[in-house]
Amino acid sequence: DVKVTQSSRYLVKRTGEKVFLECVQDMDHENMFWYRQDPGLGLRLIYFSYDVKMKEKGDIPEGYSVSREKKERFSLILESASTNQTSMYLCASSWTGEQYFGPGTRLTVT
Amino acid sequence: DAKTTQPNSMESNEEEPVHLPCNHSTISGTDYIHWYRQLPSQGPEYVIHGLTSNVNNRMASLAIAEDRKSSTLILHRATLRDAAVYYCILRDDNAGNMLTFGGGTRLMVKP
């Protein structure tokens, strides 16, 4: 079975802190994605990557950056966390078509 | 981007079939129809996808209209564990592996 793991289920950070959300997949997938999910707004794509050291902006990249140094790991970085980044963050990976999602990290910024 | 329209919510009785509709009148020839579902407190999971022909797998069936402007996800016998938000998504085969999620249909299953 494909497994996508995220470093934390719940995280509480203060405004202005640098935040790292880690995602690891074990199926040698080329593609990895970061989404955020908010009530009434659904899932929105932040960044994605088609290969190591490669990244592309999604629909809402402002305030975020990403890093993909190894194929299995895709990190989402909040350089200076703000309260409007309080959300559920979901990572996914895919080979072709079907995406496999992690369990999500619920981030609260106070 | 081609968009999909789904009812906000539906109800079903346990052990009865459920038909979840999706309209996609602006679908293009290279769009695949994907269905995902999201159980409470979990990430979305893939259910099924198709292009033109009806598809079956262990989770569900996908019925695609002949003109491809609508599709129906069929759960043959709903269980309480099928209560989730179901998303119908169009994926352009020429645009990589990105998915654009809409609002989905919240399925409630009554015992």
Side-chain angles (χ1 to χ4, degrees), chain B residues 13-41:
Chain B
N13 293 318
E14 197 177 10
E15 299 194 3
E16 289 186 358
V18 182
H19 290 232
L20 296 162
C22 182
N23 287 321
H24 28 78
S25 58
T26 59
I27 192 170
S28 74
T30 54
D31 283 332
Y32 282 79
I33 302 159
H34 283 246
W35 283 82
Y36 282 73
R37 72 178 186 181
Q38 188 172 20
L39 303 170
S41 302

Side-chain angles (χ1 to χ4, degrees), chain A residues 33-36 44-46 88-90 99 101, chain B residues 99:
Chain A
F33 308 83
W34 274 106
Y35 297 85
R36 64 177 282 177
R44 293 178 291 167
L45 182 64
I46 305 172
M88 170 69 83
Y89 289 88
L90 290 154
Q99 288 189 16
F101 284 80
Chain B
L99 300 175

Side-chain angles (χ1 to χ4, degrees), chain A residues 25-69:
Chain A
Q25 49 93 4
D26 65 358
M27 280 299 291
D28 203 36
H29 284 165
E30 299 285 345
N31 310 303
M32 296 189 75
F33 308 83
W34 274 106
Y35 297 85
R36 64 177 282 177
Q37 184 171 30
D38 301 287
L41 296 175
L43 278 89
R44 293 178 291 167
L45 182 64
I46 305 172
Y47 267 97
F48 60 99
S49 169
Y50 286 148
D51 203 350
V52 175
K53 296 192 186 294
M54 179 273 183
K55 60 186 178 185
E56 292 285 345
K57 293 180 180 179
D59 298 321
I60 51 163
E62 297 77 19
Y64 303 94
S65 63
V66 289
S67 172
R68 189 146 181 224
E69 296 296 318

Side-chain angles (χ1 to χ4, degrees), chain B residues 64-86:
Chain B
I64 301 172
E66 199 168 329
D67 63 5
R68 300 209 326 128
K69 295 188 177 197
S70 65
S71 60
T72 303
L73 180 71
I74 302 164
L75 307 179
H76 295 285
R77 283 181 74 232
T79 69
L80 297 178
R81 291 187 67 250
D82 291 321
V85 178
Y86 287 78

